[in-house]
C-alpha cells in the first residue's frame, strides 16, 4: 500500500535521491555532531523582517532541525518521486523551486494576517527544513494519482493506495506548534503553481542551461541503476502459494518488459503501440496438464475496458490509446496500468 505510485526504487529519479540523501545527512550531522551550528539554520522570520537577515530564508528552509520532520519528509519525498519520472527532472525541480519561493511569501502573509485580524502573534521561529515543497506535492498527488480501493472498513470508509501517504502527511502536519503555517503556505503555493496561476510556472522555473549543467555534473552521482528483472521467490506458507506468488511476479515482469519494448518501438517509428504483440500472462498463455501433457483451450478475449478508468488515466496526461491498451494488458487493473504508464 505504501508504494502506491510504483516500486522501482529511485530509478530515473536522481533529484529525489539527492533530496533524500543530502538534507537528511546534514540534519543528522547538525543534530549529533554540530549542535552549536543549528542556530544558523533557524527559520526566524522576525530576524528576516527586523534585522534583514535574508540568508535565513535559504538556510532556514533547507535542513530540518527536528529529526522527526526529517524522517517524515524523507518518506514523503520517496513516495512523490513518481512525479520526477512523469515530468522529468527539470520540470520536477521547477515545481519544487516555484513552491519553495512562493511558500516563503505565503509564510509572511499568514503571520501578518493572524496578527492583523485576530491579534495573534505567532512564534518568530517556524519549523526549519524543506517542508513547504513537500506539502505542495500533495496538490498534484491528489489531482493526478488515481485512487484505488484496497480494503473496505466501517461501511463507507475504505483504505486506498493513497491512505498511508495522507496519514504520513497528517503526522508531519501535527509534529509542531506552528508547522501548520508552513503546511498551508506549501499547499497554497502548490495550488498556484500546479494551476499555472499568474503564469508563475514560466517565471519560477529552472533554465535549460542550468538543467544541462546539473545533468552533466550531479546526475551521474545520484543516478540509480535499473532494477533487476530477476524474480524473487515468494514467501508463502506453502509451496503452492510460493509457486503462485512467483508466477504473479513473472506475469508482471513480462508485461512490464513488453510494454517497455513497445514504447521504445513507438518512439522510434511513431504511431500507436502494437499491443497485439504483447504476451498474455503466463498462466493464460500456456496452461499445461502435466499428467497428460495436454494444453488447455485458448485464452478468452480481453475484457471490456471501463470508460471511467480510461478517463482517470487520460486526466493524468496519457493518450486514450495508451490508456485503453494498458488497461487491457493489465486485465483492467487500474493500479498496474498506472504503473505501466508512469514508469515507462
Amino acid at each position: 500500500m505504501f508504494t502506491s505510485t510504483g516500486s522501482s526504487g529511485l530509478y530515473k529519479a536522481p533529484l529525489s535521491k539527492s533530496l533524500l540523501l543530502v538534507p537528511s545527512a546534514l540534519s543528522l550531522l547538525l543534530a549529533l555532531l554540530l549542535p552549536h551550528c543549528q542556530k544558523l539554520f533557524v527559520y526566524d522570520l522576525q530576524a528576516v523582517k527586523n534585522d534583514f537577515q535574508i540568508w535565513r530564508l535559504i538556510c532556514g528552509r533547507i535542513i530540518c532541525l527536528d529529526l522527526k520532520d526529517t524522517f517524515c519528509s524523507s518518506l514523503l519525498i520517496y513516495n512523490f518521486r513518481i512525479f520526477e519520472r512523469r515530468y522529468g527532472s527539470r520540470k520536477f525541480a521547477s515545481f519544487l523551486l516555484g513552491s519553495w519561493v512562493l511558500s516563503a511569501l505565503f509564510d509572511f502573509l499568514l503571520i501578518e494576517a493572524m496578527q492583523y485580524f485576530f491579534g495573534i502573534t505567532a512564534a518568530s521561529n517556524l519549523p526549519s527544513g524543506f517542508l513547504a515543497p513537500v506539502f505542495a506535492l500533495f496538490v498534484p498527488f491528489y489531482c493526478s494519482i488515481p485512487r484505488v480501493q484496497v480494503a473496505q472498513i466501517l461501511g463507507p470508509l475504505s483504505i486506498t493506495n493513497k491512505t498511508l501517504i495522507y496519514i504520513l502527511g497528517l503526522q508531519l502536519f501535527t509534529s509542531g506548534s506552528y508547522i501548520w503555517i508552513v503546511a498551508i503556505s506549501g499547499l497554497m503555493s502548490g495550488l498556484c503553481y500546479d494551476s499555472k496561476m499568474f503564469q508563475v510556472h514560466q517565471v519560477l522555473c529552472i533554465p535549460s542551461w542550468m538543467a544541462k549543467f546539473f545533468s552533466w555534473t550531479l546526475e551521474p552521482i545520484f543516478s540509480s541503476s535499473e532494477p533487476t528483472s530477476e524474480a524473487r521467490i515468494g514467501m508463502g506458507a506453502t509451496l503452492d502459494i510460493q509457486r503462485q506468488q512467483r508466477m504473479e511476479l513473472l506475469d508482471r515482469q513480462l508485461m512490464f518488459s513488453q510494454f517497455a519494448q513497445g514504447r521504445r518501438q513507438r518512439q522510434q517509428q511513431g504511431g500507436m503501440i502494437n499491443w497485439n504483440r504483447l504476451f498474455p500472462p503466463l498462466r493464460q498463455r500456456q496452461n499445461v496438464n502435466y499428467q497428460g501433457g495436454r494444453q488447455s483451450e485458448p485464452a478468452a478475449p480481453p475484457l471490456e475496458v471501463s470508460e471511467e478508468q480510461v478517463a482517470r488515466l487520460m486526466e493524468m496526461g496519457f493518450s486514450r490509446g495508451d490508456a485503453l491498451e494498458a488497461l487491457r494488458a493489465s486485465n483492467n487493473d487500474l493500479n498496474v496500468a498506472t504503473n505501466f504508464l508512469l514508469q515507462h
Side-chain angles (χ1 to χ4, degrees), residues 2 8 49 52 82 88 94 112 131 152 188 198 222 236 329:
F2 190 69
S8 297
K49 180 180 178 181
F52 298 101
I82 195 67
S94 297
E112 293 298 327
L131 300 176
Q152 189 81 21
M188 292 172 61
F198 306 119
F222 294 105

Side-chain angles (χ1 to χ4, degrees), residues 44-57 108:
D44 191 345
L45 287 180
Q46 293 298 328
V48 175
K49 180 180 178 181
N50 300 329
D51 302 332
F52 298 101
Q53 297 181 5
I54 307 299
W55 55 272
R56 290 193 180 274
L57 290 175
F108 275 105

Side-chain angles (χ1 to χ4, degrees), residues 255 281 284 302-303 309 326-334:
M255 287 188 290
Q284 297 177 8
L303 300 175
Q309 293 179 339
L327 288 169
R328 289 169 183 163
S330 60
N331 288 332
N332 283 331
D333 190 321
L334 182 61

Side-chain angles (χ1 to χ4, degrees), residues 24 60 63 92 104 121 148 232 243 277:
S24 299
I63 303 174
F92 182 66
T121 302
V148 180
R232 296 172 294 179
R243 188 180 297 111
R277 298 183 61 184

Side-chain angles (χ1 to χ4, degrees), residues 115-135:
Q115 187 172 3
Y116 181 80
F117 292 104
F118 305 103
I120 301 176
T121 302
S124 59
N125 296 345
L126 293 180
S128 302
F130 198 71
L131 300 176
V134 173
F135 283 107

Side-chain angles (χ1 to χ4, degrees), residues 65-81:
L65 300 181
D66 191 334
L67 293 182
K68 298 190 302 296
D69 294 346
T70 302
F71 178 74
C72 291
S73 60
S74 297
L75 288 177
L76 288 172
I77 289 173
Y78 178 78
N79 277 270
F80 291 148
R81 74 199 185 281

Side-chain angles (χ1 to χ4, degrees), residues 244-301:
Q244 180 181 0
Q245 291 175 346
R246 188 178 183 89
M247 291 294 294
E248 290 174 354
L249 287 172
L250 290 173
D251 286 347
R252 178 167 296 188
Q253 290 165 4
L254 179 61
M255 287 188 290
F256 270 111
S257 62
Q258 293 296 319
F259 181 87
Q261 181 181 0
R263 179 62 62 90
R264 286 193 297 267
Q265 292 176 355
R266 186 183 66 169
Q267 291 175 351
Q268 294 174 358
Q269 302 174 2
M272 298 297 297
I273 299 176
N274 185 8
W275 287 87
N276 292 328
R277 298 183 61 184
L278 295 181
F279 290 1
L282 292 179
R283 291 187 299 276
Q284 297 177 8
R285 179 169 54 115
Q286 185 176 15
N287 183 14
V288 179
N289 187 331
Y290 293 98
Q291 294 180 355
R294 179 175 53 84
Q295 294 186 354
S296 63
E297 297 181 357

